[in-house]
Amino acid sequence: MKLSIIGSGYVGLVTGTCLAEAGHTVICVDNNQAKVKELQAGRIPIYEPGLEELIRRNVQLKRLSFTVSTKEAVEKSEVIFIAVPTPPQEDGSVDLSYVEHVAREIAEVLPEYRIIVDKSTVPVKTGEHVTETIRRYCRKGVEFDVVSNPEFLREGSAVADLQKPDRIVIGVASDRPVAAMKAIYEPFKAPIMITNLNSAELIKHAANSFLALKITYINLVAAVCEASQADVTQVAEGMGSDARIGRAFLNAGLGYGGSCFPKDVSAFIRIAEELGVDFGLMREVEKINASIPERFLKKLRSSLWVMRDKKVGQLGLAFKANTDDVRSSVAIELAKRMAAEGAILRCHDPKGGEKARELLPAGVEIVSDAHQVAEGADVLIVATEWPEYRLLDWHKIKNSMRTPRIFDGRNLLNPAEMKSLGFEYTSVGR
Ligand code: UGA
């Protein structure tokens, strides 16, 4: 089918690429001319495993192209996806101005019947507003349908998530767009759920909030484990092997971060509030999650005694492994707080170092070899769970440190192994 994606950010670019890979002809639109030029030249603005090869392949096959022109995209496509940012506003509610702007732009150039699909994470009832906006701004009275098709991909495994989704949610207000939407996703061989428009929108916020709740729950269980000499990894295994609970998203650590969960949890609280529902449960989740880095720092301070002038080596800056994304990263927050308390920081991240530079105080050093962070350090912090950190030369690291202490905020390393190497090793909830 002929498709276009308005907004070539994370979700837009990965979605467009995977839809092209599935055999559709896809035009990706972005209003940032420089970005479009880069993409046309084969340069990818984000790191996502497998994405670059897929983009290159599909551009060569002429199934994937990039433009700044919404008009061209709308004219040439049967289905138009909206994948623009929906950033948080100061009060936690969602800024829908990009979605509204794109809806107007589409309306003004609609040549004939089109399906307009919202992929951005939006509050329930946005589809109704988009429908109303297009109706108002489309002078020619052309017919159209608005569909909600939320995206569940995770950064770091976006391509795999998109190609093998657990389910595809399609929210519609009439039957007319259903066949086309099913045809788009047919190659993915995944269960398709047809819902009404509002339910589809709600599924996304409810799912992300639930996952954030699950992480917060295990982080509190970890605190109980610490106080009772239990091991949170074993508790999570035991809980998670109950099929009703599941092991996923029960990894205790530094709390959830990134550009989705924090934003979506506070949006969901505001959305419920506006609908007259007090979602105090999620307010508590927000509060607990915000307190986790401090709990970690407290343990660190009790080992270092004085933070000022201590040499801290930090492994990891990205908000999670396999991504260069450092937005709302707890690892960045930790580094900033330790630097503010006078620690001398040396950090490493396999992919996120460059992007982190802009967010970290000037005195924080970023090095390209992970082993370097340990040289002369009083303590080593594991702040992002990059699997390759497990394979570092820990013997060499131990010998290069001033005092061999590890604070593993992600439970990445094996406690028994670290202790047998001679480290003083502290992790979360075990
Ligand atoms: C999340 C959801 O998992 C996706 O399904 C969703 O599509 C996406 O948000 C979105 O709304 O766009 P993402 O933010 O990329 O994906 O990353 P996650 O893997 O969900 O991790 C989020 C945060 O939770 C990270 O800081 C991670 O370190 C933390 N986390 C995750 C834990 O602390 N423990 C866990 O067990 C799992």
Side-chain angles (χ1 to χ4, degrees), residues 149 171 213 252 254 276 286 289 306 348 362 385 423 426:
N149 172 218
L213 168 77
L254 296 169
E286 256 190 336
N289 191 60
V306 172
H348 172 269
E385 72 286 17
F423 284 104
T426 311

Side-chain angles (χ1 to χ4, degrees), residues 326-346:
V326 290
R327 293 172 296 168
S328 301
S329 167
V330 187
I332 297 279
E333 191 189 326
L334 268 189
K336 277 166 114 176
R337 286 167 73 155
M338 291 187 289
E341 288 182 38
I344 303 158
L345 263 104
R346 196 179 255 192

Side-chain angles (χ1 to χ4, degrees), residues 183 364 378:
V364 174
D378 297 282

Side-chain angles (χ1 to χ4, degrees), residues 41-264:
R43 282 186 290 274
I44 317 303
I46 51 171
Y47 170 72
E48 188 60 47
L51 183 65
E52 200 167 334
E53 301 87 274
L54 281 192
I55 292 183
R56 214 168 282 145
R57 220 169 85 80
N58 285 284
V59 167
Q60 260 168 19
L61 291 168
K62 302 214 179 313
R63 289 199 300 234
L64 183 63
S65 60
F66 303 96
T67 178
V68 285
S69 168
T70 301
K71 185 168 187 286
E72 177 198 336
V74 173
E75 275 169 3
K76 290 184 178 163
S77 312
E78 304 157 71
V79 181
I80 300 122
F81 289 80
I82 302 178
V84 293
T86 49
Q89 308 193 93
E90 228 155 72
D91 66 350
S93 63
V94 182
D95 176 359
L96 288 167
S97 57
Y98 300 102
V99 173
E100 195 258 1
H101 180 80
V102 169
R104 275 191 283 126
E105 269 191 343
I106 294 172
E108 281 160 8
V109 294
L110 265 191
E112 56 188 344
Y113 178 78
R114 293 285 185 265
I115 300 171
I116 294 114
V117 183
D118 177 52
K119 243 206 186 297
S120 304
T121 299
V122 293
V124 60
K125 288 176 168 294
T126 299
E128 291 177 3
H129 289 297
V130 169
T131 307
E132 182 54 28
T133 302
I134 298 178
R135 196 167 285 138
R136 270 180 207 275
Y137 285 86
C138 177
R139 293 279 169 84
K140 294 187 234 156
V142 174
E143 287 187 15
F144 62 93
D145 272 299
V146 170
V147 171
S148 166
N149 172 218
E151 185 46 63
F152 301 102
L153 61 81
R154 286 165 300 173
E155 291 187 21
S157 55
V159 171
D161 287 347
L162 218 138
Q163 290 183 326
K164 287 202 183 329
D166 290 339
R167 77 310 203 181
I168 288 158
V169 174
I170 296 173
V172 293
S174 79
D175 290 340
R176 188 168 177 190
V178 171
M181 292 304 297
K182 281 187 171 165
I184 292 173
Y185 285 111
E186 202 276 326
F188 295 89
K189 307 280 174 242
I192 294 182
M193 283 183 65
I194 306 292
T195 69
N196 69 32
L197 212 45
N198 293 349
S199 303
E201 290 167 340
L202 209 49
I203 285 169
K204 172 72 191 201
H205 270 122
N208 271 7
S209 295
F210 189 81
L211 291 169
L213 168 77
K214 202 172 173 191
I215 296 167
T216 307
Y217 186 88
I218 202 66
N219 279 325
L220 273 189
V221 171
V224 177
C225 288
E226 274 173 25
S228 59
Q229 290 78 53
D231 180 332
V232 72
T233 328
Q234 292 175 4
V235 175
E237 283 302 329
M239 285 170 62
S241 44
D242 183 329
R244 293 169 302 176
I245 297 175
R247 177 64 181 83
F249 280 65
L250 284 180
N251 294 324
L254 296 169
Y256 61 81
S259 56
C260 300
F261 284 175
K263 154 178 108 90
D264 289 352

